[in-house]
């Protein structure tokens, strides 16, 4: 989850933004194929039709770190930097509005109440400060894919600036992007980005996923280096006198048996499948074998080991009955109420739980375990997606329009500690927020009507952590991630925009149910072997050949 600006209002708005992103990423169906996109189909054989993710040298912007305000907890190996207090004085990043008065339209999703776009003091203030007039076309994030498909079907209907979540990338978009959107390579590649200091401050990884057909098309919404962890109730552990953390999967299983107390209506864990994949370093998709050939995650020993451990966890009777019944909607409530003491969750869930619990239970304390290696050795973690959303500028014959929009993007990418960041995220002081004793913005009633995250979906600065309203949280978060960062490595095809052959898009789906069945003892590893063979014969081998071709091109 991204930090909020210097305040509680943006804490609320960005919390909603990232929370809804996570939900939408799991639940939103893929966009239908619009006419413009289907017209770009290739005549290549079906078994190899798809697009690769090559990124040539010189395509990506040169990364130039920029520090307006020195963090109390600097980034380590890409970890999230943090601030233990709000700067007393914010830096003004722009002496004058960067835009030249142009009028544009922008399309963005929103997981919340859509605010009025006219007569809105928030939009008026940002437009004035940026020197442009951007009118938003805001759509419900839960149905954004359908809206996007309709808009992209007709070039004349495409707004000047379009936000596209990664899970809403339409089929064949890699082919259609050239017809719809501006190639930003001539404007931002290499040292050309130096014209836009805040865009140059966005790490290289985030730009990688904005490359299609070896050209830079998108502006990124940067993500976190690590996105998941195994959490425990540190406050209850202290009451139980438990001070040692598990360093292996077996130690975690032994600990679960020790703290399990069904008679007291307390179970050790919820479903820990995500945690199991972390401990055993299960690759997100593919693993490159020692001989240079690809092995799919379901074929790996890591995957088998994670499933085997998960089945032992369930067999031990330490998993909450509702989790056994695959009722996941209340998993957070079970953990926060103390019905379970160990859970897998996204890092964003950490501060969200503190926000819900600490007012009524000031002793509430959840912490992530330090990274655990399944065998007790050195942990291995994989980088998370470097950007979860991107935005695109409509193709224009006038380069000055593109340059103006990029200047506005540079304004919107102003990082934490600047007046511009506060304006974009919290609105106008005295209108949309006041300040509390810690310097945190407190939203006014008008903010609830006018201020919703919209500009942030066009482009966003690097993530920092500044939730100082939760005592000790920033330090704990940043120190944990800085330690975990030493174990992070890039998975195969990291940051590459690859569109696999569409006819094989669903062949991995049966493994979702199979994982649940094996975990709960309804099926065995023999069923996994059978499912892998079915996967191979149903297109898995062809899919491997497709990805192997991309891998070979990179070597």
């Amino acid at each position: 989850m991204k930090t909020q600006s210097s305040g509680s209002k943006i804490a609320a708005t960005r919390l909603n933004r990232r929370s809804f992103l996570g939900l939408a990423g799991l639940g939103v169906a893929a966009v239908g194929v619009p006419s413009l996109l289907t017209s770009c189909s290739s005549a290549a054989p079906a078994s190899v039709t798809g697009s690769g993710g090559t990124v040539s040298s010189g395509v990506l912007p040169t990364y130039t770190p920029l520090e307006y305000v020195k963090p109390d907890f600097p980034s380590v190996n890409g970890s999230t930097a943090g601030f233990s207090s709000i700067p007393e004085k914010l830096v003004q990043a722009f002496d004058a509005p960067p835009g030249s008065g142009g009028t544009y339209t922008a399309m963005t999703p929103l997981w919340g109440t859509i605010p009025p776009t006219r007569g809105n003091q928030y939009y008026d203030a940002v437009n004035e400060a940026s020197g442009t007039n951007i009118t938003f076309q805001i759509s419900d994030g839960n149905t954004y894919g359908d809206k996007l498909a309709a808009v992209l079907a007709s070039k004349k209907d495409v707004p000047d600036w379009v936000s596209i979540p990664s899970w809403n990338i339409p089929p064949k978009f890699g082919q259609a992007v050239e017809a719809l959107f501006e190639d930003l390579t001539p404007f931002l590649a290499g040292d050309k980005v130096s014209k836009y200091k805040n865009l140059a401050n966005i790490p290289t990884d985030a730009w990688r996923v904005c490359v299609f057909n070896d050209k830079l098309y998108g502006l990124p919404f940067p993500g976190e280096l690590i996105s998941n962890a195994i959490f425990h109730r540190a406050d209850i552990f202290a009451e139980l006198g438990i001070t040692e953390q598990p360093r292996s999967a077996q130690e975690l299983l032994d600990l679960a048996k020790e703290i399990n107390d069904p008679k007291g209506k307390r179970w050790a864990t919820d479903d820990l499948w995500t945690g199991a994949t972390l401990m055993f370093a299960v690759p997100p998709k593919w693993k490159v074998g020692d001989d240079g050939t690809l092995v799919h995650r379901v074929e790996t020993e890591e995957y088998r080991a994670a499933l085997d451990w998960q089945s032992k966890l369930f067999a031990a009777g330490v998993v909450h009955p509702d989790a056994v019944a695959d009722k996941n909607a209340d998993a957070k409530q079970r953990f926060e109420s103390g019905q379970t003491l160990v859970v897998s969750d996204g890092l964003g869930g950490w501060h969200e739980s503190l926000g819900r619990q600490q007012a009524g239970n000031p002793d509430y304390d959840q912490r992530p375990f330090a990274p655990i290696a399944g065998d007790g050795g050195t942990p291995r973690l994989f980088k998370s997606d470097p950007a979860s959303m991107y935005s695109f500028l409509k193709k224009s014959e006038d380069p000055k329009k593109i340059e103006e929009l990029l200047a506005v993007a540079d304004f919107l990418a102003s990082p934490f500690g600047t007046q511009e960041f506060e304006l974009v995220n919290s609105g106008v002081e005295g209108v949309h927020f006041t300040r509390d004793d810690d310097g945190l913005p407190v939203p006014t009633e008008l903010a609830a009507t006018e201020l919703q995250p919209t500009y942030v979906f066009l482009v966003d600065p690097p993530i920092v952590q500044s939730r100082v309203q939760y005592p000790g949280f920033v330090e704990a978060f940043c120190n944990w991630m800085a330690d975990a960062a030493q174990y992070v490595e890039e998975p195969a095809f990291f940051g590459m925009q690859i569109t696999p052959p569409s006819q094989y898009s669903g062949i991995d789906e049966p493994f979702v149910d199979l994982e649940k069945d094996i975990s709960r003892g309804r099926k065995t590893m023999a069923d996994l072997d059978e499912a892998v063979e079915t996967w191979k014969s149903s297109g898995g081998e062809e899919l491997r050949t497709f990805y192997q071709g991309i891998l070979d091109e990179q070597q």
Side-chain angles (χ1 to χ4, degrees):
M1 299 284 277
K2 184 106 170 199
T3 187
Q4 287 44 359
S5 114
S6 346
S8 58
K9 168 56 185 175
I10 189 55
T13 58
R14 285 192 180 242
L15 181 154
N16 289 338
R17 172 186 70 174
R18 296 280 183 177
S19 300
F20 283 115
L21 287 180
L23 293 173
L26 293 173
V28 177
V31 179
V33 184
S35 58
L36 178 59
L37 301 181
T38 52
S39 67
C40 297
S41 61
S42 170
S47 62
V48 296
T49 299
S51 62
T54 300
V55 181
S56 297
S57 176
V59 171
L60 297 173
T62 300
Y63 175 48
T64 308
L66 183 64
E67 192 173 273
Y68 290 98
V69 182
K70 185 177 180 62
D72 299 292
F73 304 97
S75 174
V76 179
N77 297 323
S79 70
T80 302
F83 296 83
S84 58
S85 62
I86 303 303
E88 292 183 6
K89 184 176 181 181
L90 301 178
V91 177
Q92 183 175 346
F94 289 84
D95 295 331
S100 52
T103 298
Y104 303 96
T105 54
M107 178 179 172
T108 58
L110 180 63
W111 292 268
T113 304
I114 296 176
T117 55
R118 296 187 181 277
N120 185 315
Q121 295 181 71
Y122 168 63
Y123 291 125
D124 291 345
V126 178
N127 281 338
E128 180 180 358
S130 66
T132 53
N133 182 17
I134 295 179
T135 300
F136 279 91
Q137 300 171 5
I138 306 171
S139 297
D140 181 356
N142 296 309
T143 57
Y144 191 69
D146 296 330
K147 177 67 174 180
L148 190 64
V151 169
L152 298 185
S154 174
K155 187 175 182 179
K156 66 180 179 62
D157 294 331
V158 176
D160 299 302
W161 204 338
V162 181
S163 172
I164 303 182
S166 58
W167 57 90
N168 284 143
I169 290 287
K172 302 186 187 301
F173 181 74
Q175 300 170 37
V177 66
E178 294 186 11
L180 297 174
F181 299 113
E182 189 72 28
D183 174 11
L184 301 180
T185 314
F187 300 90
L188 298 177
D191 292 340
K192 293 175 182 177
V193 75
S194 62
K195 182 178 179 180
Y196 310 101
K197 57 185 178 182
N198 294 318
L199 294 181
N201 182 48
I202 296 175
T204 301
D205 281 353
W207 290 106
R208 288 189 190 183
V209 293
C210 297
V211 174
F212 296 80
N213 306 325
D214 207 19
K215 298 177 182 178
L216 181 65
Y217 281 96
L219 298 166
F221 180 96
E224 206 94 59
L225 176 70
I226 303 168
S227 57
N228 293 295
I230 303 175
F231 288 89
H232 68 287
R233 284 292 301 274
D235 51 335
I236 299 179
F237 271 43
E239 293 174 3
L240 297 175
I242 298 174
T243 58
E244 295 293 324
Q245 292 199 10
R247 294 297 180 181
S248 70
Q250 183 60 49
E251 287 185 7
L252 179 56
L253 181 58
D254 293 341
L255 175 63
K257 295 175 181 177
E258 177 184 347
I259 62 178
N260 199 49
D261 184 17
K263 291 182 179 180
K265 300 299 181 181
R266 187 187 72 210
W267 284 263
T269 79
D270 218 276
D271 187 335
L272 293 185
W273 173 237
T274 298
T277 64
L278 293 174
M279 290 190 294
F280 290 95
V282 178
K285 199 79 169 184
W286 295 95
K287 174 183 177 180
V288 181
D290 294 337
D291 59 355
T293 59
L294 289 174
V295 182
H296 194 272
R297 68 178 261 138
V298 300
E299 302 173 292
T300 64
E301 290 303 316
E302 292 89 346
Y303 182 79
R304 296 182 68 89
L307 264 180
D308 181 63
W309 182 86
Q310 176 85 337
S311 65
K312 292 177 180 177
L313 184 77
F314 275 81
V318 298
V319 180
H320 193 284
D322 286 350
V324 175
D326 200 23
K327 298 178 181 179
N328 297 319
D330 294 329
K332 291 181 185 294
Q333 189 277 330
R334 293 193 290 266
F335 181 67
E336 292 173 17
S337 66
Q339 295 179 56
T340 60
L341 302 187
V342 180
V343 68
S344 302
D345 198 7
L347 285 177
W350 188 353
H351 81 268
E352 292 173 6
S353 292
L354 293 177
R356 285 190 292 266
Q357 296 299 321
Q358 283 197 339
N361 180 13
D363 294 327
Y364 179 91
D365 188 15
Q366 71 174 77
R367 299 291 176 103
F369 286 131
I372 301 171
D375 61 1
T378 302
R380 293 176 60 210
L381 300 172
F382 293 106
K383 281 186 178 181
S384 298
D385 291 339
S388 58
M389 301 178 71
Y390 346 95
S391 69
F392 302 83
L393 305 183
K394 185 177 182 179
K395 205 165 191 177
S396 174
E397 295 180 359
D398 185 356
K400 291 184 178 180
K401 289 184 177 181
I402 302 302
E403 290 174 349
E404 181 176 20
L405 287 172
L406 288 176
V408 175
D410 192 45
F411 177 93
L412 298 178
S414 298
F416 175 82
T418 64
Q419 295 176 14
E420 290 79 3
F421 182 93
E422 181 176 77
L423 172 64
V424 169
N425 290 278
S426 295
V428 180
E429 184 172 6
V431 177
H432 300 106
F433 70 89
T434 58
R435 296 189 189 277
D436 65 12
D437 294 339
D438 293 323
L440 291 166
V442 178
T444 63
E445 291 185 7
L446 182 63
T449 301
E450 292 194 341
L451 201 157
Q452 286 284 1
T454 41
Y455 291 100
V456 294
F457 293 141
L458 298 178
V459 67
D460 221 22
I463 294 176
V464 298
Q465 187 56 258
S466 64
R467 294 183 177 88
V468 301
Q469 63 267 44
Y470 308 123
F473 170 70
V474 172
E475 179 178 5
F477 183 101
C478 294
N479 286 343
W480 179 88
M481 184 173 282
D483 173 66
Q486 66 182 304
Y487 306 118
V488 170
E489 59 188 74
E490 293 185 359
F493 307 108
F494 173 73
M496 297 173 65
Q497 286 289 359
I498 298 174
T499 304
S502 59
Q503 63 268 40
Y504 307 127
S505 61
I507 65 172
D508 295 351
E509 293 177 3
F511 289 95
V512 175
D513 289 333
L514 183 60
E515 290 160 3
K516 296 177 181 179
D517 289 338
I518 292 177
S519 296
R520 291 158 177 80
R522 297 191 291 260
K523 291 189 176 181
T524 68
M525 288 297 182
D527 295 294
L528 172 62
D529 295 334
E530 181 179 344
V532 169
E533 291 303 314
T534 300
W535 174 85
K536 291 179 179 179
S537 62
S538 300
E541 292 294 358
E542 289 85 350
L543 200 60
R544 191 195 320 275
T545 299
F546 168 75
Y547 276 96
Q548 188 71 49
I550 297 173
L551 180 66
D552 292 343
E553 289 179 2
Q554 308 303 310
Q555 299 174 347

